[in-house]
């Protein structure tokens, strides 16, 4: 009786064949899913490479690649941008008003790189007296904001560019005393000039440049727009000349 009871309690032996088939089905499904995921990753990777190569090989007549915002080409930040600065009637302009090429400069009198670019820009105007004009827009930091206001005060007396050039030559001494000395050297009406600085009369003109820079997401100087070409930072005469030739 004891033996029969023991036999009754023994569980039936599993069907090895059915178990193997079940495992095989699960393994097949797992391998299929892994293969599908791998295929999708490979396709996405291939599309990414194709897009990158398409951007980097955009044809142009220069050695520079015109690329989308945020991509560096040949050590220069260069792009063709649909968002461009608006040239206002109050913006100082140097060069031929009807020039084919407009260089818009966002600059700061306390910026050493801006100062180093002034000879390059002056040389460009000599080389292209009728084809290029330069438009100035202020983008000062707090310590040089008064210099920007002073230059615009000189603008009210028709001497913006003269003051502009002197401020860059005296960029280590941007204080009111120096502004007054420079204004006197330029033969400005001193009482009017002094009052303009004290009252901040031209601060709204400076703010126009700051506001446009914010809209264009510009956060540093110098910054240039050569027609619809956008360049951040200093640029050599040869490179700048190359961009101008493309526009002409």
């Amino acid at each position: 009786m004891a033996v029969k009871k023991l036999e009754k309690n023994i569980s039936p032996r599993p069907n090895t064949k059915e178990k193997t088939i079940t495992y095989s089905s699960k393994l097949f499904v797992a391998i299929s899913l892994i293969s599908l995921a791998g295929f999708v990753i490979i396709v996405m990777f291939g599309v990414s490479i194709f897009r990158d190569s398409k951007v980097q090989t955009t044809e142009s007549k220069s050695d520079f690649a015109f690329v989308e915002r945020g991509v560096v080409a040949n050590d220069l930040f260069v792009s063709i941008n649909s968002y461009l600065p608006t040239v206002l009637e109050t913006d100082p302009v140097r060069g031929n008003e009807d020039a084919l090429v407009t260089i818009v400069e966002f600059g700061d009198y306390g910026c050493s790189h801006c100062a180093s670019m002034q000879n390059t820009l002056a040389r460009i105007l000599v080389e292209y007296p009728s084809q290029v004009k330069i438009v100035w827009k202020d983008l000062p930091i707090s310590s040089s904001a008064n210099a920007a206001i002073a230059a615009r005060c000189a603008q009210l007396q028709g001497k913006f560019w003269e003051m502009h050039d002197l401020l860059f030559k005296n960029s280590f001494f941007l204080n009111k005393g120096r502004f007054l000395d420079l204004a006197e050297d330029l033969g400005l009406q001193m009482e009017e000039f002094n009052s303009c600085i004290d009252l901040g009369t031209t601060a709204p003109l400076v703010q126009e440049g700051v506001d446009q820079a914010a809209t264009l997401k510009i956060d540093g100087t110098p910054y240039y727009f050569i027609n619809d070409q956008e360049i951040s930072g200093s640029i050599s005469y040869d490179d700048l000349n190359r961009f101008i030739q493309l526009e002409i």
Side-chain angles (χ1 to χ4, degrees):
M1 291 295 295
V3 173
K4 288 184 180 180
K5 186 175 182 180
L6 181 61
E7 289 177 351
K8 185 177 180 180
N9 291 335
I10 294 176
S11 300
R13 189 173 182 179
N15 190 325
T16 305
K17 184 175 181 180
E18 291 179 357
K19 192 173 184 179
T20 302
I21 293 173
T22 301
Y23 286 161
S24 297
S25 299
K26 291 182 179 179
L27 181 61
F28 176 76
V29 172
I31 293 174
S32 298
L33 291 175
I34 293 172
S35 300
L36 179 60
F39 176 75
V40 171
I41 292 172
I42 291 172
V43 170
M44 293 178 66
F45 181 71
V47 170
S48 175
I49 293 176
F50 174 76
R51 288 179 177 173
D52 290 344
S53 64
K54 187 175 181 181
V55 170
Q56 294 173 0
T57 58
T58 302
E59 293 182 0
S60 74
K61 295 181 181 179
S62 78
D63 294 334
F64 296 94
F66 294 136
V67 295
E68 296 177 353
R69 178 188 287 272
V71 182
V72 175
N74 291 8
D75 297 326
L76 286 174
F77 181 96
V78 183
S79 71
I80 295 179
N81 194 353
S82 58
Y83 299 98
L84 301 173
T86 302
V87 177
L88 306 172
E89 292 184 0
T90 53
D91 290 335
V93 178
R94 177 180 264 173
N96 179 15
E97 289 279 357
D98 300 320
L100 293 174
V101 180
T102 298
I103 300 176
V104 177
E105 176 185 11
F106 285 83
D108 171 22
Y109 295 108
C111 165
S112 59
H113 293 293
C114 297
S116 66
M117 281 295 300
Q118 298 311 304
N119 288 336
T120 299
L121 294 172
R123 182 179 173 187
I124 286 294
L125 287 178
V126 171
E127 294 291 332
Y128 301 96
S130 63
Q131 296 167 300
V132 174
K133 67 181 176 184
I134 296 174
V135 178
W136 172 267
K137 288 186 179 290
D138 293 292
L139 185 55
I141 58 175
S142 57
S143 61
S144 53
N146 285 334
I149 290 173
R152 293 305 188 114
C153 288
Q155 180 184 1
L156 297 182
Q157 298 189 42
K159 294 286 186 177
F160 171 81
W161 289 107
E162 292 83 351
M163 180 63 80
H164 166 280
D165 294 344
L166 289 175
L167 287 171
F168 273 122
K169 291 177 181 178
N170 293 267
S171 58
F172 292 105
F173 306 97
L174 297 179
N175 55 62
K176 185 181 177 183
R178 182 52 58 95
F179 303 153
L180 294 175
D181 289 342
L182 297 178
E184 189 170 4
D185 291 342
L186 292 175
L188 300 183
Q189 295 293 325
M190 295 305 298
E191 184 176 348
E192 180 183 340
F193 181 80
N194 187 56
S195 175
C196 180
I197 291 179
D198 287 343
L199 296 176
T201 304
T202 55
L205 299 179
V206 175
Q207 189 63 41
E208 288 174 346
V210 174
D211 291 342
Q212 281 205 27
T215 299
L216 295 165
K217 302 187 185 304
I218 297 171
D219 58 1
T221 56
Y223 207 100
Y224 302 98
F225 289 83
I226 305 174
N227 287 351
D228 61 353
Q229 301 177 49
E230 183 180 358
I231 300 173
S232 173
S234 300
I235 179 172
S236 69
Y237 170 81
D238 290 337
D239 290 338
L240 183 56
N241 184 60
R242 197 173 304 174
F243 282 110
I244 292 171
Q245 286 294 326
L246 284 174
E247 297 300 314
I248 298 175

